[in-house]
Amino acid sequence: MREERADFAAFLATLPAEQWLAPTLCPQWRVRDVVAHVISYDDLHARSLLTLAARGRFRVSRINAAALARYGTRSPQQLLALLTDHLQPRGLPAALGGRVGLVETLIHHQDIRRALGQPRPIPAERLRRALRVALIAPDIAGPWRIRGIRLVATDLRFSAGVGPEVRGAAEGLLMTIAGRRGVVSELSGPGQRKLAGRTGG
């Protein structure tokens, strides 16, 4: 988790100001919005998280919007400083030994890199751990998307599920599990069409 956030911060430090306003794979979220989202739950304890959830009527999209609104006036430099100050997960991202924060940061890191056309090699162990969490994370809806499908990574040792097989790079599998549109086209196998129907791809 800490290493992924450090890599994320290092990458963001290379972006010119105009790219902080560029779109990402997250609909309606710019780079600055994704960065703010990544850190927006770190300072929330159980009571404040419950208050925020109630304000968002217990719907994930509305809760995220309410959390994000608190950072609306922050500059890119301030957001980067906050991320750098939060390399060690706190609050909700620290759940499951930091694995919640790992999967969120890794996916959103890729949301930005893919949109900007700046790929990177991702350490295999980070990808493997993120995939395991994504398979059970209700906020990602991974369990619903992969039901009745077997996923097989072609670049590291990972497989999960039962049913028609879908094969591809681990990063592509992760982003598809997370519902990112279009990424499923990078995958193959007899279960690809079924998975595409669940991701709008």
Side-chain angles (χ1 to χ4, degrees):
M1 166 66 199
R2 185 180 179 87
E3 292 170 357
E4 180 61 22
R5 281 196 174 183
D7 286 352
F8 188 32
F11 167 64
L12 292 169
T14 70
L15 300 183
E18 61 270 17
Q19 286 191 323
W20 281 76
L21 299 177
T24 70
L25 296 194
C26 295
Q28 300 180 346
W29 280 7
R30 302 162 296 173
V31 169
R32 59 159 291 118
D33 301 319
V34 172
V35 176
H37 169 72
V38 166
I39 58 175
S40 63
Y41 288 91
D42 278 58
D43 62 344
L44 296 176
H45 299 291
R47 186 171 181 176
S48 53
L49 182 59
L50 183 60
T51 299
L52 191 69
R55 190 184 308 162
R57 300 179 186 177
F58 298 94
R59 292 181 58 181
V60 173
S61 60
R62 290 181 177 178
I63 296 170
N64 284 338
L68 189 61
R70 300 179 303 136
Y71 295 85
T73 62
R74 304 290 182 119
S75 68
Q77 293 77 15
Q78 289 173 321
L79 291 172
L80 181 56
L82 283 169
L83 176 62
T84 303
D85 187 51
H86 288 76
L87 296 184
Q88 187 64 35
R90 309 170 194 173
L92 184 60
L96 300 179
R99 288 181 177 85
V100 170
L102 170 63
V103 71
E104 284 287 323
T105 304
L106 201 157
I107 289 171
H108 288 310
H109 190 166
Q110 295 308 111
D111 284 332
I112 293 173
R113 281 186 172 272
R114 277 178 167 266
L116 295 179
Q118 297 195 42
R120 62 162 177 155
I122 304 172
E125 190 53 32
R126 285 188 217 170
L127 269 173
R128 190 178 290 110
R129 292 185 182 190
L131 279 164
R132 294 295 180 193
V133 175
L135 292 175
I136 62 172
D139 60 322
I140 294 176
W144 175 81
R145 289 194 183 93
I146 67 159
R147 71 190 192 286
I149 294 173
R150 178 170 175 77
L151 303 178
V152 179
T154 56
D155 55 347
L156 57 79
R157 294 183 62 183
F158 171 83
S159 62
V162 177
E165 193 170 278
V166 177
R167 302 175 62 85
E171 188 264 357
L173 292 176
L174 177 64
M175 299 303 284
T176 301
I177 292 171
R180 296 314 187 256
R181 294 176 65 90
V183 181
V184 71
S185 65
E186 301 171 14
L187 310 178
S188 62
Q192 194 263 4
R193 181 174 294 183
K194 179 187 289 188
L195 187 56
R198 297 173 184 172
T199 59

